[in-house]
Amino acid sequence: MPHPRITIDPKVKFGKPVIAGTRIHVELLLKLLAKGQSIEMLLEAYPQLTREDVLAAQAYAAEHLPRAKPVAAE
């Protein structure tokens, strides 16, 4: 399912998924959230973002994670 807030362009951030209209990639937001930063902290650090942008990044990752290739047991 496409996410209108997420774009992929080979000319922007080497084709990584980014928040539309920015160069802020989904991976960065997820890493910062995983390190304990709150959405409010992200919005303060990146004023061009909205709460909906951060939630879209999480939804995008949740949708695409099941497509990751599993690692076979040894």
Side-chain angles (χ1 to χ4, degrees):
M1 178 168 95
H3 291 272
R5 293 180 180 273
I6 308 296
T7 60
I8 299 173
D9 181 343
K11 298 175 188 170
V12 178
K13 290 292 190 177
F14 305 103
K16 288 184 176 188
V18 299
I19 302 300
T22 76
R23 296 180 58 79
I24 302 169
H25 51 90
V26 169
E27 182 182 352
L28 171 66
L29 295 177
L30 296 174
K31 285 182 178 182
L32 293 173
L33 289 167
K35 288 182 177 183
Q37 288 197 20
S38 67
I39 292 177
E40 290 73 24
M41 292 169 76
L42 293 177
L43 298 179
E44 189 174 312
Y46 301 96
Q48 65 271 45
L49 290 179
T50 66
R51 179 176 188 78
E52 290 76 19
D53 291 331
V54 178
L55 296 176
Q58 291 176 313
Y60 180 88
E63 181 179 316
H64 287 81
L65 187 59
R67 298 180 189 168
K69 295 181 181 182
V71 177
E74 292 184 26

